[in-house]
Amino acid sequence: MTMIEAIREAHDVAMAADERVVVFGEDVGFFGGVFRCTAGLQEKYGKSRCFDAPINESGIVGTAIGMAAYGLKPVIEIQFADYVYPAYDQIVSEAARLRHRSNADFTCPLVIRMPTGGGIFGGQTHSQSPEALFTHVSGLKVVMPSNPRDAKGLLLAAVADPDPVIFFEPKRLYNGPFDGHHDKPVESWKSHPLGEVPDGDEIVPLGKAAIRREGAEVTVLAYGTMVFVAEAAAEETGVDAEVIDLRSLMPLDLEAIVGSVQKTGRCVIVHEATRTCGFGAELMALVQEHCFYHLEAPVIRVTGWDTPYPHAQEWEYFPGPGRVGEALKKVMEE
Amino acid sequence: MTSDTRPLSLNVPEPGCRPGSTPDFSGFEIPRAGAVPRPPVDVDPDAIRDMAFSIVRVLNKDGEAVGDWAGALSTEELHEGLRHMLLLRTFDARMLNAQRQGKTSFYMQHLGEEAVSCAFSRALEPGDMNFPTYRQAGLLIASGYPMVTMMNQIYSNAEDPLHGRQLPIMYSSKEHGFFTISGNLGTQFVQSVGWAMASAISGDTRIAAGWIGDGSTAENDFHAAMVFASTYTAPVVLNIVNNQWAISTFQGIARGGVGTFAARGHGFGIASVRVDGNDYLAVHAVAKWACERARRGHGPTLIEHVSYRAGGHSTSDDPSAYRSRREAAAWPLGDPVERLKKHLIAIGEWSEERHAQAEAEVLDTVRAAQKEAEAIGTLSAGKVPSPRDMFEGVYETMPPHLIRQRQEAGF
């Protein structure tokens, strides 16, 4: 099953189980979304539970907050993460704070889904990874699956969660795993074990990381597309790296991070987003705070550059297996 | 460029009156009371476009209730309405003073705008939901929310239902149909539309009321609310309180070249009405009409309440720095309390003596509540919320990083 199918199935399971779940966003109704993640839902559940919204992200989030305050569970789509900024005030000042400021008189069980990341020649307006803008905000949960199995389980957990969840979907992984070798033939999820998605309503809990590759020499902290890039880099360099897929950035599985880094004594952090004040900075600070006396070498970040996401220079921007491999070798030299 | 093309210049609108000059409202057109007919609630918005350029008024200059919109309230209800406005005005005066005495950090009063929220409240039914701004406390007072609880919130004391987390006057009461107030202006307007959409999705019969000020209609949220309300025919009443001033900015800066704020509704096909916001009977009648319209599935209504902010924006504001001190007295729609009082006297149901007695009783009520609240504590003394409370309720279940931070903070 592809990640698109897994996300669609999570919607289907959630909508069948709970009539309070409503789904809307730009093009999500009749058409089923530009990436097809909501295809068939309007036909199955009716127009009042899955519908098209005007092109107004702050309106989509603002109305969803009102619906959540009423008692519904909106699962809304922002067509690209790059388009979320008009809704930032509603997310940061409102969704994230209703519970705290009203002492739970009003709450905001809301899931905001958005495709994120590059590798599809989307240029600067269809490739961004703005996760750190949301992990910085108290009151939000932030999730990014890297595969169909997690996408379904995490989305179901997000829908069940009593607080607002920002749900990032790495669009380069929608149809298959991608290790950053863009010149190789495209892979499909069909032959990948993480493309096998269990039926039913099994969740993947928020706040739990997964070890994708066990290793003894260096810990790689990654999420989304970078999980596969890191795995490829480990294979190609022969460095015995332990690759941790964080899955959930807020809450964060600090125990898994600390356990691994204390074991390996080395750490490389990989994300596609720009470097300065990126989520890697928080990870690096936490590793320093909790693992300083176990470290054999300085922690290295491999990230997108601090530039707008370029078009023609996409593969020079994208932190591919070459750059991650260099970091693995460098961290082993110390 | 042709030789007769002159350099462009920027138009920055100015109010008619600034400090030192004489207030002049002669250009402000006020139709006579009773002049605007009351259309059926299922009217096509296109058929009442003129209502966005007129003003629904019930009370005339002699205090008589006239026209189609009159007669909706009993004498008893009018007495109660007057009492609500007196309560709000007295509450404001006491809390303003308490802020000056250092018992709280901040306060916002309603002086001159009491009729808007007090009268509107009466048009709603239990279960309906307001998404208010910071100047609609009459919704709480008129719906019976305990005044001492409002004061506990203002004082951020140990009995503050919001545990000291919110700025004073940013109340929240789901039970009383009062959505938690945001200090970010305009955000609640579109949320009210979402709440109303949820009611429709759920096959409910409850409606929502959104609130926004004249200045904040310039926010994107206003536009978003109008688009969504229009598209989905949401059962919502969208209220603009035009009190003429957004801190120091006169309403012309947000209004631009359009004739009225209400007329903004026309482009969205939303029924749009202006009402005399200082006329308790008119506000109630229009609110009742709009609520019925929403509840019967005829869609949203945009109401512009034409009023005047007679006091400062907040305790942090000094209006004499930007407008004439005489402007409030010159405001042609008068004072809402005085006008309802005059009406009750005109129909033989009130007197100066009874009014003085009512004022004294209201003062006693407010003082008693204040005494009770201050016995618990104020921002500067007495019992205050625990510092632990700031860590609670960020999420339903406290995540590990917040537990660590709370321990680090020593709570």
Side-chain angles (χ1 to χ4, degrees):
Chain A
M1 181 182 288
T2 67
M3 198 190 283
I4 291 165
E5 289 161 341
I7 289 163
R8 189 188 305 154
E9 194 168 287
H11 279 95
D12 192 4
V13 168
M15 291 178 88
D18 186 349
E19 63 177 17
R20 294 173 301 169
V21 177
V22 293
V23 175
F24 64 104
E26 294 154 17
D27 299 300
V28 311
F30 182 82
F31 183 53
V34 293
F35 288 101
R36 321 296 297 136
C37 289
T38 57
L41 297 176
Q42 183 176 79
E43 198 178 4
K44 185 165 179 184
Y45 295 101
K47 277 167 71 174
S48 68
R49 290 187 64 201
C50 178
F51 53 90
D52 290 330
I55 303 174
N56 186 319
E57 289 78 12
S58 73
I60 291 168
V61 176
T63 51
I65 291 168
M67 291 179 195
Y70 175 92
L72 298 186
K73 288 183 161 189
V75 180
I76 57 175
E77 178 176 299
I78 301 295
Q79 199 160 76
F80 285 85
D82 315 66
Y83 302 167
V84 75
Y85 309 119
Y88 200 57
D89 187 32
Q90 287 286 349
I91 296 171
V92 173
S93 311
E94 303 295 315
R97 297 201 203 136
L98 288 194
R99 175 186 294 282
H100 190 258
R101 81 176 192 222
S102 73
N103 194 29
D105 196 22
F106 294 92
T107 59
C108 196
L110 166 66
V111 182
I112 306 175
R113 296 174 39 243
M114 55 191 105
T116 191
I120 61 151
F121 282 102
Q124 60 183 260
T125 53
H126 302 78
S127 306
Q128 295 166 54
S129 297
E131 64 273 10
L133 297 179
F134 298 96
T135 53
H136 190 61
V137 177
S138 59
L140 298 177
K141 296 184 178 178
V142 180
V143 175
M144 195 186 298
S146 68
N147 59 77
R149 179 186 285 250
D150 282 353
K152 183 181 172 190
L154 286 168
L155 185 52
L156 285 171
V159 176
D161 199 272
D163 289 304
V165 181
I166 311 296
F167 194 88
F168 287 104
E169 299 166 5
K171 65 177 94 63
R172 189 61 174 83
L173 301 181
Y174 268 151
N175 289 304
F178 177 64
D179 63 8
H181 287 293
H182 51 93
D183 42 358
K184 285 197 318 193
V186 173
E187 282 182 71
S188 137
W189 283 114
K190 265 185 205 149
S191 49
H192 197 286
L194 292 169
E196 283 169 32
V197 179
D199 288 337
D201 58 0
E202 195 179 314
I203 67 157
V204 172
L206 307 185
K208 289 285 171 210
I211 296 174
R212 293 294 172 211
R213 181 187 196 279
E214 292 201 10
E217 291 183 320
V218 50
T219 299
V220 182
L221 302 178
Y223 48 90
T225 315
M226 291 302 124
V227 171
F228 298 96
V229 174
E231 282 182 320
E235 297 302 326
E236 289 158 21
T237 56
V239 174
D240 188 15
E242 180 149 287
V243 177
I244 296 186
D245 177 356
L246 295 174
R247 302 199 285 195
S248 165
L249 309 185
M250 179 59 70
L252 182 68
D253 191 348
L254 185 63
E255 215 173 314
I257 295 169
V258 171
S260 178
V261 177
Q262 288 189 350
K263 180 181 80 176
T264 62
R266 291 180 169 83
C267 181
V268 171
I269 295 163
V270 192
H271 62 59
E272 200 180 333
T274 47
R275 179 172 300 173
T276 303
C277 295
F279 193 66
E282 178 63 26
L283 292 172
M284 192 180 263
L286 287 168
V287 168
Q288 190 276 137
E289 284 168 11
H290 294 272
C291 311
F292 183 77
Y293 294 105
H294 292 79
L295 288 175
E296 306 284 341
V299 180
I300 299 178
R301 279 181 291 178
V302 186
T303 68
W305 308 118
D306 284 350
T307 68
Y309 208 112
H311 182 241
Q313 305 90 336
E314 174 140 56
W315 302 115
E316 286 71 42
Y317 176 95
F318 188 92
R323 278 171 61 199
V324 176
E326 289 305 312
L328 290 177
K329 286 190 266 181
K330 189 176 173 200
V331 81
M332 291 307 299
E333 283 167 11
E334 300 276 341
Chain B
M1 191 161 71
T2 58
S3 58
D4 60 350
T5 305
R6 288 179 300 171
L8 294 163
S9 65
L10 185 71
N11 174 54
V12 181
E14 270 296 318
C17 175
R18 286 291 194 189
S21 57
T22 305
D24 178 13
F25 287 105
S26 59
F28 176 49
E29 281 181 43
I30 306 171
R32 62 181 170 76
V36 179
R38 184 183 191 278
V41 293
D42 61 350
V43 70
D44 181 344
D46 267 350
I48 56 163
R49 289 171 72 94
D50 55 338
M51 288 182 79
F53 300 101
S54 190
I55 302 178
V56 174
R57 305 179 69 232
V58 172
L59 295 174
N60 68 17
K61 62 182 186 325
D62 298 320
E64 296 159 334
V66 295
D68 286 359
W69 300 85
L73 291 167
S74 68
T75 304
E76 195 186 354
E77 288 169 324
L78 291 173
H79 282 150
E80 196 180 50
L82 184 62
R83 182 178 149 79
H84 290 154
M85 290 198 288
L86 286 174
L87 274 170
L88 180 54
R89 184 165 289 190
T90 308
F91 178 84
D92 274 345
R94 302 287 302 183
M95 290 297 99
L96 204 59
N97 206 30
Q99 189 275 340
R100 298 300 187 214
Q101 293 167 340
K103 292 172 182 170
T104 186
S105 59
F106 179 79
Y107 191 70
M108 303 184 90
Q109 61 170 329
H110 304 71
L111 192 64
E113 299 174 51
E114 291 89 346
V116 175
S117 54
C118 288
F120 191 91
S121 174
R122 194 179 280 288
L124 293 170
E125 297 199 358
D128 293 342
M129 187 61 68
N130 286 287
F131 287 74
T133 79
Y134 43 70
R135 226 185 296 278
Q136 277 89 47
L139 295 168
L140 285 175
I141 285 180
S143 65
Y145 188 75
M147 189 172 276
V148 66
T149 311
M150 294 169 75
M151 289 173 172
N152 290 338
Q153 197 281 328
I154 291 165
Y155 288 149
S156 293
N157 67 23
E159 295 296 319
D160 169 9
L162 308 184
H163 293 199
R165 295 171 190 155
Q166 260 283 38
L167 200 63
I169 68 99
M170 305 282 176
Y171 317 103
S172 173
S173 177
K174 189 184 232 174
E175 190 190 343
H176 290 79
F178 194 94
F179 186 73
T180 160
I181 296 180
S182 174
N184 287 40
L185 305 188
T187 47
Q188 73 287 343
F189 211 55
V190 64
Q191 292 161 2
S192 75
V193 177
W195 197 98
M197 288 168 68
S199 180
I201 289 168
S202 308
D204 201 345
T205 58
R206 294 180 289 163
I207 64 167
W211 295 85
I212 203 165
D214 49 278
S216 301
T217 60
E219 290 278 11
N220 302 328
D221 298 283
F222 176 80
H223 175 83
M226 299 296 280
V227 174
F228 280 70
S230 169
T231 299
Y232 303 107
T233 325
V236 63
V237 181
L238 294 167
N239 297 280
I240 303 167
V241 182
N242 176 6
N243 67 9
Q244 312 300 319
W245 289 94
I247 307 187
S248 72
T249 307
F250 92 112
Q251 45 88 19
I253 294 288
R255 185 169 49 80
V258 167
T260 68
F261 288 101
R264 296 243 193 271
H266 289 163
F268 300 91
I270 292 177
S272 303
V273 180
R274 280 173 106 207
V275 63
D276 179 345
N278 290 15
D279 179 339
Y280 185 94
L281 284 78
V283 171
H284 169 263
V286 168
K288 195 91 188 154
W289 181 84
C291 288
E292 194 182 340
R293 195 175 153 74
R295 208 178 306 278
R296 291 190 181 192
H298 302 305
T301 303
L302 181 67
I303 303 176
E304 177 186 345
H305 301 261
V306 183
S307 188
Y308 185 84
R309 194 194 79 209
H313 165 71
S314 73
T315 45
S316 309
D317 180 38
D318 172 18
S320 70
Y322 51 80
R323 69 183 191 191
S324 167
R325 288 177 194 276
R326 290 174 292 161
E327 196 178 84
W331 172 244
L333 294 178
D335 176 79
V337 173
E338 288 303 314
R339 286 175 68 191
L340 182 53
K341 174 187 164 193
K342 189 174 182 177
H343 171 62
L344 283 165
I345 291 173
I347 60 173
E349 295 289 350
W350 202 241
S351 66
E352 290 294 348
E353 295 72 32
R354 286 177 74 182
H355 193 78
Q357 193 187 345
E359 281 181 324
E361 281 169 14
V362 159
L363 182 58
D364 284 348
T365 303
V366 177
R367 276 168 130 165
Q370 192 175 6
K371 203 173 164 188
E372 197 184 329
E374 289 182 7
I376 298 158
T378 66
L379 187 62
S380 52
K383 289 191 201 129
V384 294
S386 162
R388 269 181 85 94
D389 280 330
M390 97 180 128
F391 294 95
E392 301 284 346
V394 180
Y395 302 90
E396 186 183 74
T397 306
M398 194 178 294
H401 73 285
L402 271 181
I403 295 172
R404 283 194 299 274
Q405 288 177 25
R406 192 187 68 196
Q407 286 162 348
E408 185 185 330
F411 310 117

